[in-house]
């Protein structure tokens, strides 16, 4: 889900480095389809799923927004998590997990009770019409943690929910409610709305007790505002919220009360919060920040006491000016929406970023990398995948460098949705989509998925092809062609493990595709 109020400029990024060639290519395995037939029946979310024929649409069998995590202590343990059956106006019927204990050869599938479709009830706390924003993280003791943004589409109820799959089991706990909200406005997805949560089990805590969750919360003008005040409001803020458990490995874990840890001020906010843990145990929360004077940037705050206190000021990674992505040759892809409006956007507007930390014993141990998309000179959208790193715990950051190797001179060189990971050898890798193989006049939006890797701390880069070509027009249209606000990339020892959405083959003039997207994984070694 996404609740953000800002307008992006179109200034050109000038702090670019060249992208020199680097090490030998990775050995890329063939992509494996992880998707299953939807386990959810039409209408399973009940009245609060908010189905309104002609106004919205549920893309059954659409798997999008995948995240992947490998255990920091056992590379054989890997978990994937994604939205199942995406709605055109936000969220999905439920979230599906795929868990393997053999390195990714065979997976078992499960659905935490984060929505009614997935088994949520008033008794277990998961009785919401939709769920979104999947994220998973392994604790060092072998416990797997998952988190969801769960919402109603017809009421203002929304919550951040977490669940645990205890080591040695294959079932999820009932949801832990980290933050529940509603509002007097009666407006769905409106005031007191929690968004873009993530969860991080502390890799430096061998007990598995320390697990952190972070998100943003939109308030306008106050928590208790009625509908008239909300609709007329000229003020809002979107601060960072945080919760943690210090007994996550217990038979019955408990979570501390959620609390606000950073607020950039009135008419300002954050989104895409993500916690990274450094080898010395320091926590960094990175986020996209927008402020009332129009400035946009990526920032971090720090905690040296496991989240008890946080730095009062944030540290800037880089100013940014993304504009999102557009289809150079729009088509009509939504005959089920009244008027069959033109499909013009690709849902990737540049406010999402990713973090990864070097835990190797190499020369860059402790270095934290950040990646995001940005805009240079493409007339249709963002064309830069940028990377910066910090060697002093997030206080200062290197000059951002372009790492995508999308060639210029093509019909459109847009690039988007980067993910980053560092393997146990200190090799850093970045995955992304681009349109380099798209051509004019073929009624398709040809897309590929790529990975670049650096063996020298980011000085040089080599690119490999992960998947494609495929037609982005086959993806669900949810405020743009939607494969997710993010994709997954992690490492199992020295092996990189991507997880990404691929639109399924289909005719260029018949929509919707009955199987719009699948999620795929492969390896790079």
């Amino acid at each position: 889900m996404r609740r953000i109020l800002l307008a992006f400029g179109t200034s050109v990024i000038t702090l670019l480095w060249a992208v020199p060639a680097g090490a030998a290519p990775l050995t890329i395995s063939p992509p494996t389809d992880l998707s299953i037939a939807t386990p959810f029946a039409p209408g399973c979310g009940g009245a609060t799923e908010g189905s309104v024929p002609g106004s919205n649409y549920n893309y059954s069998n659409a798997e999008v927004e995948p995240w992947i995590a490998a255990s920091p202590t056992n590379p054989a343990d890997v978990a994937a998590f994604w939205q199942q059956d995406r709605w055109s106006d936000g969220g999905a019927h439920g979230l599906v997990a795929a868990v393997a204990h053999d390195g990714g050869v065979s997976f078992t599938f499960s659905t935490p009770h984060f929505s009614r479709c997935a088994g949520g009830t008033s008794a277990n706390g998961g009785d919401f019409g939709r769920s979104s924003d999947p994220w998973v993280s392994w604790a060092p003791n072998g416990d797997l943690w998952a988190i969801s943004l769960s919402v109603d589409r017809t009421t203002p109820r929304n919550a951040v929910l977490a669940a645990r799959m205890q080591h040695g089991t294959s079932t999820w706990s009932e949801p832990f409610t980290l933050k529940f909200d509603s509002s007097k406005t009666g407006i769905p997805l409106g005031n007191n709305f929690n968004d873009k949560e993530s969860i991080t089990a502390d890799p430096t805590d061998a007990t598995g007790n320390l697990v952190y969750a972070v998100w943003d919360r939109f308030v306008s003008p106050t928590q208790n505002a009625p509908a008239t005040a909300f609709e007329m409001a000229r003020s809002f803020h979107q601060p960072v919220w945080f919760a943690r458990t210090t007994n996550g490995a217990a038979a019955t874990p408990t979570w501390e009360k959620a609390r606000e840890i950073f607020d950039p001020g009135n008419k300002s906010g954050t989104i895409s919060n993500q916690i990274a843990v450094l080898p010395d145990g320091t926590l960094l929360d990175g986020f996209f920040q927008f402020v009332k004077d129009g400035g946009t940037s990526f920032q971090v705050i720090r905690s040296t006491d496991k989240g008890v206190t946080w730095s009062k000021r944030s540290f800037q990674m880089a100013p940014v000016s993304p504009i999102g992505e557009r289809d150079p040759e729009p088509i009509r892809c939504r005959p089920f929406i009244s008027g069959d409006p033109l499909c013009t956007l690709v849902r990737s507007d540049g406010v999402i970023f990713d973090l990864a930390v070097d835990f190797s014993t190499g020369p860059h141990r402790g270095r934290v990398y950040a990646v995001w998309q940005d805009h240079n000179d493409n007339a249709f959208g963002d064309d830069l995948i940028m990377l910066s790193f910090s060697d002093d715990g997030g206080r200062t950051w290197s000059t951002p460098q372009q790492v995508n190797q999308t060639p210029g001179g093509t019909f459109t060189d847009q690039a988007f949705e980067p993910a980053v990971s560092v393997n146990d050898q200190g090799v850093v890798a970045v995955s992304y989509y681009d349109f380099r193989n798209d051509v004019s006049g073929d009624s398709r939006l040809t897309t590929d998925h790529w990975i670049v890797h650096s063996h020298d701390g980011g000085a040089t880069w080599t690119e490999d092809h992960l998947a494609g070509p495929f037609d982005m027009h086959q993806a669900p249209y949810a405020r743009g062609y939607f494969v997710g606000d993010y994709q997954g990339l992690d490492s199992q020892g020295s092996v990189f493990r991507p997880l990404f959405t691929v639109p399924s083959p289909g005719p260029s003039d018949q929509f919707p595709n009955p199987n719009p997207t699948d999620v795929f994984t492969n390896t790079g070694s």
Side-chain angles (χ1 to χ4, degrees):
M1 304 290 285
R2 181 81 52 78
R3 186 72 160 89
I4 184 167
L5 302 179
L6 72 160
F8 295 120
T10 57
S11 59
V12 175
I13 298 298
T14 57
L15 296 177
L16 303 183
W17 293 355
V19 188
L26 297 174
T27 298
I28 305 296
S29 68
T32 299
D33 191 343
L34 283 191
S35 300
I36 58 174
T38 179
F40 304 132
C44 58
T48 62
E49 75 175 22
S51 179
V52 183
S55 296
N56 63 11
Y57 184 79
N58 182 257
Y59 289 88
S60 182
N61 283 307
E63 296 85 21
V64 297
E65 201 161 84
W67 190 250
I68 195 164
S71 168
T73 53
N74 183 1
D77 288 343
V78 60
F81 203 34
W82 60 80
Q83 291 188 37
Q84 182 69 53
D85 302 352
R86 173 72 189 192
W87 284 90
S88 63
D89 57 348
H93 271 155
L95 306 182
V96 171
V99 180
H101 299 289
D102 55 8
V105 177
S106 59
F107 287 84
T108 58
F109 300 89
S110 56
T111 55
H113 297 162
F114 290 152
S115 65
R116 290 192 181 95
C117 292
T121 66
S122 57
N124 64 29
D127 58 329
F128 292 88
R130 304 184 186 185
S131 53
S132 189
D133 299 355
W135 206 277
V136 284
S137 182
W138 291 93
N141 70 332
D143 289 349
L144 177 63
W145 285 89
I147 199 166
S148 168
L149 167 63
S150 297
V151 304
D152 286 345
R153 196 61 184 86
T154 58
T155 84
R157 298 170 67 249
N158 68 98
V160 177
L161 304 180
R164 182 186 66 170
M165 181 180 287
Q166 197 167 15
H167 177 62
T169 71
S170 58
T171 58
W172 294 97
S173 70
E174 296 298 1
F176 299 91
T177 301
L178 308 190
K179 178 66 176 173
F180 171 84
D181 265 308
S182 188
S183 77
K184 293 181 178 179
T185 66
I187 299 172
L189 313 184
N191 203 17
N192 304 335
F193 186 69
N194 301 281
D195 199 8
K196 273 287 166 283
E197 84 300 333
S198 64
I199 194 164
T200 303
D202 193 324
T204 68
D205 172 36
T207 67
N209 279 316
L210 292 173
V211 186
Y212 316 107
V214 68
W215 63 93
D216 67 87
R217 182 172 181 263
F218 177 84
V219 176
S220 176
T222 65
Q223 293 187 117
N224 296 315
T228 52
F230 178 73
E231 292 169 346
M232 300 296 291
R234 295 187 178 182
S235 65
F236 71 91
H237 67 138
Q238 198 165 322
V240 181
W241 277 68
F242 169 82
R244 70 171 188 165
T245 176
T246 60
N247 64 349
T252 307
T254 56
W255 283 77
E256 296 176 356
K257 183 178 179 180
R259 55 193 168 91
E260 183 182 303
I261 59 171
F262 180 78
D263 188 351
N266 184 36
K267 297 183 180 179
S268 303
T270 73
I271 198 168
S272 187
N273 284 271
Q274 181 183 159
I275 287 177
V277 184
L278 303 185
D280 67 1
T282 297
L283 309 187
L284 302 183
D285 174 43
F287 50 85
F288 180 89
Q289 177 176 279
F290 54 97
V291 295
K292 60 183 178 181
D293 64 3
T296 54
S297 61
F298 287 108
Q299 305 275 335
V300 295
I301 54 176
R302 292 168 36 89
S303 174
T304 57
D305 53 15
K306 300 300 185 181
V308 176
T309 61
W310 292 85
S311 55
K312 296 186 182 301
R313 57 161 293 214
S314 62
F315 301 86
Q316 181 169 281
M317 297 181 200
V320 292
S321 55
I323 63 172
E325 312 294 338
R326 297 181 67 88
D327 185 348
E329 296 178 324
I331 64 169
R332 297 188 187 278
C333 72
R334 294 176 284 172
F336 40 80
I337 299 297
S338 298
D340 192 10
L342 202 63
C343 300
T344 59
L345 302 176
V346 178
R347 172 76 176 270
S348 183
D349 44 22
V351 303
I352 308 298
F353 80 122
D354 196 17
L355 290 172
V357 178
D358 187 342
F359 270 80
S360 76
T361 58
H364 303 301
R365 177 177 171 81
R367 174 174 288 184
V368 56
Y369 295 90
V371 293
W372 62 90
Q373 71 188 58
D374 216 325
H375 184 251
N376 184 19
D377 59 4
N378 186 285
F380 299 103
D382 297 333
D383 49 4
L384 304 173
I385 302 300
M386 305 297 289
L387 176 142
S388 179
F389 60 81
S390 174
D391 288 324
D392 61 1
R395 297 177 183 88
T396 61
W397 293 80
S398 67
T399 301
Q401 61 166 305
Q402 179 185 352
V403 297
N404 62 304
Q405 298 190 6
T406 312
T410 60
F411 175 53
T412 181
D413 62 354
Q414 296 173 77
F416 54 99
E417 291 205 359
V420 63
S421 179
V422 186
N423 72 9
D424 66 1
Q425 305 299 305
V427 178
V428 57
V430 178
S431 62
Y432 55 92
Y433 294 101
D434 75 18
F435 295 148
R436 71 180 69 180
N437 290 319
D438 191 39
V439 296
S440 178
D442 67 351
S443 299
R444 297 181 182 274
L445 183 53
T446 302
T447 311
D448 291 82
H449 202 50
W450 305 89
I451 190 168
V452 291
H453 47 99
S454 175
H455 299 246
D456 51 17
T460 59
W461 296 87
T462 299
E463 183 183 62
D464 293 293
H465 188 242
L466 289 175
F470 41 84
D471 181 13
M472 187 62 75
H473 286 164
Q474 303 299 320
Y477 198 88
R479 200 169 60 81
Y481 295 107
F482 188 72
V483 291
D485 285 332
Y486 47 82
Q487 308 296 310
L489 179 64
D490 207 345
S491 59
Q492 298 167 267
S494 63
V495 177
F496 290 105
R497 170 70 73 171
L499 182 70
F500 49 93
T501 306
V502 174
S504 302
S508 62
D509 59 353
Q510 297 178 27
F511 300 97
N513 189 317
N515 181 44
T517 51
D518 285 339
V519 290
F520 285 78
T521 186
N522 53 3
T523 59
S525 57

